[in-house]
Amino acid sequence: MATEDTPEETKVSDRGMVTIPASLRHRLDIEAGDKLRWDVEDDGKLSVEIVRQRYGAFAEDDLKADLGEDSLETHDLAGYEPESMEDS
């Protein structure tokens, strides 16, 4: 990826770890849980592809839980519903 800016540099740690500079993480929308796929060409050129691996509750609309008929029922932390509104 060629840019007009000065290239970012990071240092490889003793354990082989590299920190992705914050400016690149923000610009490329790299978040915790994403994976990086590394590839080396015959001429030694290294390329890195971002593989999105984001997991979370309700990340997509079709995965939302149905809470009931009008979704306004009250539940306690254990999932029990009161017998009537007077019990709550």
Side-chain angles (χ1 to χ4, degrees):
M1 171 192 299
T3 64
E4 303 288 330
D5 303 332
T6 305
E8 300 269 1
E9 288 185 0
T10 58
K11 187 176 181 179
V12 179
S13 75
D14 294 343
R15 296 179 55 199
M17 295 182 191
V18 177
T19 301
I20 303 169
S23 60
L24 289 177
R25 289 193 319 266
H26 295 301
R27 188 167 82 201
L28 298 172
D29 191 32
I30 299 172
E31 294 183 359
D34 289 345
K35 293 182 179 182
L36 300 178
R37 184 173 294 145
W38 304 81
D39 187 40
V40 180
E41 297 177 17
D42 292 335
D43 63 358
K45 191 174 207 175
L46 175 67
S47 66
V48 181
E49 178 184 356
I50 303 163
V51 181
R52 308 277 183 227
Q53 295 288 319
R54 299 176 187 172
Y55 299 103
F58 315 118
E60 297 185 21
D61 288 341
D62 62 338
L63 299 178
K64 290 183 180 174
D66 181 12
L67 297 177
E69 297 190 27
D70 64 2
S71 299
L72 297 176
E73 290 97 36
T74 49
H75 298 77
D76 67 10
L77 291 177
Y80 297 106
E81 295 182 36
E83 295 282 327
S84 68
M85 292 302 282
E86 296 169 4
D87 294 341
S88 44

